[in-house]
Amino acid sequence: MASQTAEEAMKAVRGIFEQYHNIRKARCYQGYDVDLMKNLKLVAATPKGTTTYELLIDERYSNLNGVMHGGAAGVIFDMCTTTALGPLSKEGYWDFLGGVTRTLGLSYLKGVAVGTTVRIHSEVIQAGRTMALIRGSMESLDGKTVYCTCDHHKVHVPTPEENKKFRPGGEKGKL
């Protein structure tokens, strides 16, 4: 069932992070998204499927020109937009990390200098039984500069059984 309050929406998104970190620790996973999932700061989430994060763009996310690497922007958007499905999720409906990416289209508008803290906003535009569209933007903290935007199309796939035991509250835990 979709969350009814902003507090419940925040809890749903935090639950995704908790499950991610539980799986990561159990499997000793050290993929390139680990630092991102440790450093994202959740600022807001709403029951209609929006999230807002802040993230310091440091050298881990940069290229040799001292700005955020385009590939890093893709990973950032992939994770941030996906978690916007958290407040809408229920067993069998966009649970855990919401499935797989079908397409992720980014528009780069302005380079993000290393040392800049950005705000990433994501909004679920449509979520059906098997497909979803989430839009994202990465902006300056004051909202005056838009660095890049994305349209993220996702295809729902069931949460693998072995990942269900890592849910907050265990396998039968609320999503």
Side-chain angles (χ1 to χ4, degrees), residues 56-101:
L56 172 65
I57 302 301
D58 61 24
E59 287 188 350
R60 288 174 286 198
Y61 308 110
S62 71
N63 61 27
L64 292 175
N65 294 323
V67 296
M68 179 180 62
H69 190 286
V75 172
I76 292 165
F77 275 128
D78 189 18
M79 300 308 280
C80 291
T81 54
T82 296
T83 62
L85 289 161
L88 306 177
S89 71
K90 59 184 177 182
E91 179 70 36
Y93 183 79
W94 299 107
D95 54 343
F96 186 43
L97 286 176
V100 297
T101 297

Side-chain angles (χ1 to χ4, degrees), residues 40 42 53 65-66 111 119 155:
L40 279 170
L42 180 63
Y53 294 95
N65 294 323
R119 183 162 291 139
V155 176

Side-chain angles (χ1 to χ4, degrees), residues 11 15 18-19 89-92 95-96 163-175:
K11 184 177 179 181
E18 184 178 339
Q19 187 172 359
S89 71
K90 59 184 177 182
E91 179 70 36
D95 54 343
F96 186 43
N163 289 345
K164 290 182 180 181
K165 67 183 175 191
F166 295 102
R167 286 183 176 150
E171 189 163 344
K172 303 288 185 199
K174 288 182 97 175
L175 296 174

Side-chain angles (χ1 to χ4, degrees), residues 36-143:
L36 173 65
M37 294 298 278
K38 287 180 181 177
N39 294 309
L40 279 170
K41 177 185 171 195
L42 180 63
V43 175
T46 68
K48 69 178 188 169
T50 67
T51 55
T52 303
Y53 294 95
E54 290 181 1
L55 177 67
L56 172 65
I57 302 301
D58 61 24
E59 287 188 350
R60 288 174 286 198
Y61 308 110
S62 71
N63 61 27
L64 292 175
N65 294 323
V67 296
M68 179 180 62
H69 190 286
V75 172
I76 292 165
F77 275 128
D78 189 18
M79 300 308 280
C80 291
T81 54
T82 296
T83 62
L85 289 161
L88 306 177
S89 71
K90 59 184 177 182
E91 179 70 36
Y93 183 79
W94 299 107
D95 54 343
F96 186 43
L97 286 176
V100 297
T101 297
R102 180 172 179 231
T103 63
L104 181 64
L106 279 69
S107 294
Y108 302 98
L109 306 171
K110 183 174 175 68
V112 182
V114 169
T116 302
T117 298
V118 296
R119 183 162 291 139
I120 303 117
H121 180 72
S122 302
E123 178 181 6
V124 175
I125 303 301
Q126 182 276 335
R129 189 175 50 80
T130 60
M131 302 274 205
L133 169 62
I134 308 112
R135 289 217 169 105
S137 64
M138 187 180 298
E139 304 173 358
S140 58
L141 292 178
D142 64 9

